[in-house]
Amino acid sequence: MPQDRLEASRAAEDAARRSYGKLVAFLAARTRDVAGAEDALSEAFAAALAQWPARGVPDNPEAWLLTVARHKMVDAARLRRHDEAAAGYFGWLAELAEPETAETSLPDRRLELLFACAHPGIEPATRAPLMLQTVLGFDAATMASAFLVAPATMGQRLVRAKAKIRQAGIGLQVPERAHLPERLDAVLEAIYAAYAEGWADAEGADPRRRNLAGEAIWLGRLVAALLPEQPEALGLLALMLHAHARRAARRDAQGEYVPLALQDSARWDGTMIDEAEALLRRASRLGAPGRYQLEAAVQSAHCARRRTGGAQWTAIVQLYEALHALTGSPVAALNRAVALAETQGPDAGLRALDALAGDARLADYQPYWAARAELLARSGAHEPALAAYQRAIGLERDPAVRRFLQRRAAALGG
Amino acid sequence: MEYLLLIHADPAGLQALREAERSTALAAYGAYMQALQTAGVARGGNRLRSADATTTVRVRGGKTEVLNGPFIETREQLGGYYLIDVPDLDTALSWAARCPGASHGTVEVRPIWAMGES
């Protein structure tokens, strides 16, 4: 019956969304065989789609999937029993096969899986895609488009990373307290990288990205829930929620780009902002400021416009100063210069930008040229402003932002 | 490494843009070429005339055939190309994503087969 089939495939999708990472983490916890766990799980999902329409959806889909996947893993291990590690592997699988695990609720080892994906032994550029794949089930092609990498290259990187987890013996465990902050940083950085890629797709219309920004927030929520005493985990979640609260206001009715300063704050998502503010307060009570809390505080200072009609620019300058001192990031220095122009005028902003002019990391960075163009225009230097706008237009990949910059340049008579 | 960025676009799609949008889109190519040059990665590039101006030549069995129109009949046409020199494919892809052609058509990124390379 088509209706049953539809219902069964919805139930399978539902289970996939809720349990994919939990099942991978559980299946790979002892064997460290992430790829094997994923293969077994995808066979289990295929079996679910074949059987559930006819026999009905089981009471506990997660346990059903686990049982099938576990059997597939045992079968696959038998096929390559000459592997030198086979003896140990069988031992672990025997533990996995203990029936009570399926009946009782599944222990949540997703945090351990996230730590393995963000291990220093894994290439930094691969950490975010690896997390999205193992915890959320993204495929390599989706991530190739999201992270602007050739699909074949992305596939190879993921295969290599999973082989490394298994062969180098990267443990699926939460690091000891002493190492936790530095290792947590890699986890948060990877989640933020995924969020930033999703944020760049302003339309949110590309279905292949599967709403990457939303999924990154979901991972951020997971980490914050599992480590509620880690201020930076709360800070990152606050930061992402703040930024996400404004997504509807980033485009006007015609789909044209609207910069932050011109956004209608009534279109910001108040519930999300309130949640972000509460997280930030909770984080600051833990008394260990860090990069994500500072960035979230900047967002909070922008959001003050919702209540008072104006952003808290003096606070924003100080926060970016602290951020630059902490990270040395040229982007923090760039943002400080822009904020400085709001409090002390365009010339002060331009002097701060000039100090960054030699930084090679900013040479092909569109926001640097756009900021420069804007401040030059405000200070009346039309010719150099036009040249800077040209540079920014040539570096931008979002057509709506490109049109916005072109309109600004045209207003100067360019 | 050198890469050729081939811009494929549906000319009807570009025609359908309003006059103002079309000139905006074309103007963006100028800025893009300038950005490639400033970054020091540009090796060449041209806009091609439309497929109506294409003539195709092939020699089969000693006989030369000259045909009117492009070799491949598709809606999308090769509209232009850029030749760039960048360290790796990821960098080439990020330049391809910035190409105005990527937002109204397709940009194909092909590594150049260098002389003497097997």
Side-chain angles (χ1 to χ4, degrees):
Chain A
M1 296 277 277
Q3 193 55 41
D4 293 350
R5 199 170 294 274
L6 196 66
E7 199 182 300
S9 80
R10 281 218 187 102
E13 264 171 42
D14 243 34
R17 179 70 179 71
R18 265 199 329 270
S19 318
Y20 185 88
K22 253 174 109 174
L23 290 167
V24 170
F26 185 74
L27 288 165
R30 294 297 301 271
T31 61
R32 292 173 179 151
D33 184 2
V34 174
E38 284 180 327
D39 288 347
L41 200 52
S42 75
E43 286 185 61
F45 278 113
L49 283 177
Q51 294 179 22
W52 292 2
R55 299 189 202 162
V57 177
D59 292 340
N60 186 347
E62 204 172 68
W64 191 96
L65 289 165
L66 178 62
T67 306
V68 175
R70 203 161 65 178
H71 287 143
K72 301 281 182 197
M73 264 184 111
V74 173
D75 290 347
R78 284 216 179 93
L79 283 177
R80 49 184 172 83
R81 66 178 144 230
H82 298 300
D83 195 75
E84 74 274 14
Y89 196 90
F90 272 116
W92 290 328
L93 285 174
E95 276 179 38
L96 269 186
E98 282 166 19
E100 67 269 27
T101 48
E103 312 310 329
T104 56
S105 81
L106 197 62
D108 194 343
R109 302 215 165 111
R110 281 175 297 184
L111 191 60
E112 286 84 340
L113 184 58
L114 287 173
F115 273 106
C117 293
H119 191 275
I122 305 287
E123 239 187 315
T126 310
R127 291 174 193 163
L130 188 61
M131 281 180 178
L132 291 165
Q133 178 158 82
T134 58
V135 181
L136 296 171
F138 275 51
D139 60 20
T142 303
M143 283 172 314
S145 354
F147 292 94
L148 282 181
V149 174
T153 311
M154 181 57 85
Q156 282 163 9
R157 284 183 191 167
L158 290 165
V159 167
R160 262 207 311 273
K162 285 175 213 168
K164 177 124 193 205
I165 291 178
R166 194 155 73 94
Q167 287 159 7
I170 290 176
L172 268 71
Q173 65 214 15
V174 176
E176 299 162 38
R177 193 156 275 280
H179 298 290
L180 187 57
E182 53 182 289
R183 291 286 309 284
L184 178 60
D185 213 45
V187 172
L188 299 180
E189 204 170 291
I191 293 174
Y192 193 39
Y195 182 79
E197 285 308 318
W199 176 249
D201 173 31
E203 318 279 333
D206 187 349
R208 285 171 309 166
R209 295 195 188 198
R210 275 185 48 185
N211 184 22
L212 201 56
E215 301 289 354
I217 289 179
W218 192 85
L219 285 179
R221 279 190 194 285
L222 178 67
V223 174
L226 296 172
L227 293 172
E229 298 300 309
Q230 290 295 321
E232 280 291 271
L234 304 176
L236 174 61
L237 182 55
L239 167 60
M240 293 192 294
L241 288 172
H242 260 309
H244 218 55
R246 295 199 300 259
R247 76 196 180 292
R250 296 168 74 200
R251 292 286 186 269
D252 67 14
Q254 283 74 45
E256 292 300 315
Y257 169 74
V258 184
L260 176 55
L262 301 178
Q263 284 172 16
D264 173 6
S265 61
R267 294 185 66 197
W268 295 348
D269 185 325
T271 317
M272 229 180 253
I273 290 173
D274 291 343
E275 190 188 351
E277 296 286 350
L279 282 162
L280 191 55
R281 278 195 301 275
R282 238 176 76 203
S284 66
R285 276 199 297 271
L286 293 163
R291 174 194 162 187
Y292 296 112
Q293 292 171 77
L294 285 170
E295 288 197 40
V298 169
Q299 301 299 326
S300 169
H302 277 297
C303 276
R305 185 144 74 78
R306 200 168 58 119
R307 298 183 308 270
T308 64
Q312 297 162 332
W313 286 109
T314 313
I316 293 173
V317 172
Q318 287 165 352
L319 287 165
Y320 275 126
E321 246 159 38
L323 203 54
H324 184 242
L326 188 70
T327 63
S329 152
V331 175
L334 165 60
N335 288 327
R336 177 189 165 271
V338 172
L340 205 58
E342 296 296 326
T343 56
Q344 295 177 25
D347 291 331
L350 279 170
R351 276 195 300 278
L353 279 185
D354 283 341
L356 297 170
D359 195 320
R361 290 170 295 181
L362 295 176
D364 293 335
Y365 187 61
Q366 182 276 115
Y368 171 78
W369 294 102
R372 211 180 159 76
E374 175 74 31
L375 297 187
L376 284 165
R378 266 194 240 168
S379 75
H382 285 196
E383 284 303 312
L386 280 175
Y389 272 128
Q390 260 319 82
R391 189 90 177 258
I393 292 162
L395 291 171
E396 177 54 49
R397 68 166 141 132
D398 185 328
V401 176
R402 210 152 52 206
R403 286 194 297 272
F404 167 80
L405 293 167
Q406 284 178 307
R407 282 195 299 275
R408 292 289 249 234
L412 287 179
Chain B
M1 271 182 81
E2 290 190 323
Y3 294 87
L4 193 63
L5 312 186
L6 296 157
I7 305 157
H8 302 275
D10 177 0
L14 199 58
Q15 289 303 322
L17 291 178
R18 278 175 290 134
E19 180 56 44
E21 285 175 51
R22 186 158 66 241
S23 61
T24 307
L26 292 177
Y29 277 104
Y32 178 64
M33 187 61 192
Q34 231 175 37
L36 287 172
Q37 279 166 348
T38 317
V41 300
R43 291 291 172 274
N46 275 302
R47 182 180 177 191
L48 300 179
R49 288 201 181 274
S50 86
D52 302 343
T54 303
T55 313
T56 311
V57 178
R58 63 184 173 201
V59 181
R60 291 289 179 279
K63 232 179 89 190
T64 306
E65 291 174 31
V66 178
L67 301 163
N68 208 15
F71 171 57
I72 307 168
E73 291 286 351
T74 59
R75 214 160 50 104
E76 299 220 313
Q77 290 180 7
L78 181 60
Y81 66 89
Y82 293 98
L83 179 64
I84 61 170
D85 189 355
V86 292
D88 52 39
L89 178 60
D90 291 359
T91 315
L93 294 178
S94 80
W95 279 108
R98 286 163 165 171
C99 176
S103 39
H104 56 76
T106 306
V107 177
E108 187 181 337
V109 180
R110 293 275 289 272
I112 297 294
W113 198 330
M115 293 282 257
E117 244 185 344
S118 57

